[in-house]
Amino acid sequence: MLALDQVDSFYGRSHILHGVTLDVPTREVTAILGRNGVGKTTLLKTLMGLTDQISGHIVLNGTDITGKPTHERARAGIAYVPQGREIFPDFTVRENILMGAFARRDGRRVVPDIVGQLFPYLTANLDRPGGVLSGGQQQQLAIARALAAQPNTLLLDEPTEGIQPNIVAEIEDIIIRLNAEAGLTVVLVEQNVAFARRAAHRFAMMEKGRVVAAGKSDALTDDLVHRHMAV
């Protein structure tokens, strides 16, 4: 299990997360919901050690990782797919994927078999520059790069944002398969409530850097959505 206990997180003097306590059960999908600017992305970056200061406790499978640097968290099994994908446009598809393999615990740098199973287009175009791919294909590439680290926990920041509609359902189905078939624990930041309800076992609703509601997905009521996500 991944667990946060009274976690505060900062960018410089800006205090973004306030006393966040959250349990992410192993091999489940936990959706993080809320309006823009409430701290959802900062929560994922805090889990990866990418903010300036963190207090409280973050525990992964019984080990406190609060003070560990990002590369050690990656080696412990956490992989991050950031908002906007952040692939390397001048690197080939293969080179982009292999960037994720640096976090593998066995030291091997290979394109994992699961990439071919989930993303046949990528394995058929390993020598193409990442920058010529469509937005949806780049999102697939960003997920493939994360999978190259052989993670057990996958952090996804709005993976369907800015994706052409015909690819959105494909990305959603892949995320569900990664949990159901590959057994990955998934923390999913998502604005699409319908997808969150379909994919997630649990949810956490955020407001002003705090978790204001959490529970199993069947407790994600229309009233909660209206109160904390309506513009």
Side-chain angles (χ1 to χ4, degrees):
M1 176 180 285
L2 178 62
L4 297 87
D5 181 26
Q6 292 296 313
V7 170
D8 285 43
S9 192
F10 302 77
Y11 296 119
R13 295 183 180 180
S14 297
H15 190 175
I16 308 299
L17 297 187
H18 302 264
V20 171
T21 293
L22 180 67
D23 289 336
V24 178
T26 301
R27 297 191 177 186
E28 290 193 3
V29 178
T30 299
I32 310 298
L33 303 165
R35 297 182 182 92
N36 289 332
V38 299
K40 303 185 303 295
T41 292
T42 299
L43 175 60
L44 298 191
K45 289 187 173 183
T46 299
L47 290 171
M48 287 305 303
L50 293 171
T51 60
D52 296 333
Q53 180 184 342
I54 302 168
S55 63
H57 296 282
I58 303 171
V59 177
L60 178 66
N61 298 325
T63 300
D64 193 320
I65 63 170
T66 312
K68 291 187 180 297
T70 298
H71 71 274
E72 290 189 20
R73 298 180 193 219
R75 295 243 169 167
I78 306 177
Y80 176 41
V81 180
Q83 189 177 26
R85 301 176 281 280
E86 296 183 11
I87 61 115
F88 297 95
D90 294 330
F91 284 19
T92 66
V93 168
R94 186 196 315 274
E95 290 167 337
N96 268 281
I97 294 171
L98 293 181
M99 288 296 293
F102 280 106
R104 280 179 65 125
R105 291 176 287 278
D106 62 7
R108 297 181 66 210
R109 295 190 66 225
V110 296
V111 177
D113 292 340
I114 193 172
V115 170
Q117 296 164 14
L118 295 174
F119 308 116
Y121 176 85
L122 296 183
T123 52
N125 293 273
L126 288 171
D127 296 320
R128 295 194 75 191
V132 306
L133 304 184
S134 70
Q137 291 162 349
Q138 289 186 8
Q139 184 64 68
Q140 293 177 353
L141 180 56
I143 295 172
R145 179 179 60 193
L147 294 177
Q150 289 193 315
N152 49 46
T153 300
L154 186 61
L155 313 180
L156 295 160
D157 195 352
E158 299 202 29
T160 62
E161 182 186 38
I163 303 298
Q164 53 268 46
N166 63 315
I167 302 295
V168 167
E170 183 179 339
I171 296 288
E172 291 177 351
D173 288 342
I174 284 168
I175 292 167
I176 291 171
R177 287 180 61 190
L178 285 170
N179 169 251
E181 299 174 17
L184 291 185
T185 302
V186 177
V187 182
L188 171 68
V189 166
E190 186 55 69
Q191 295 280 17
N192 184 334
V193 175
F195 172 45
R197 283 172 167 154
R198 183 164 72 95
H201 302 87
R202 296 174 179 271
F203 78 96
M205 187 72 71
M206 295 190 67
E207 189 80 54
K208 297 181 180 178
R210 294 176 168 85
V211 173
V212 293
K216 293 185 178 180
S217 290
D218 57 10
L220 181 56
T221 63
D222 290 342
D223 178 62
L224 269 177
V225 171
H226 179 74
R227 275 191 285 144
H228 299 292
M229 295 187 71
V231 177

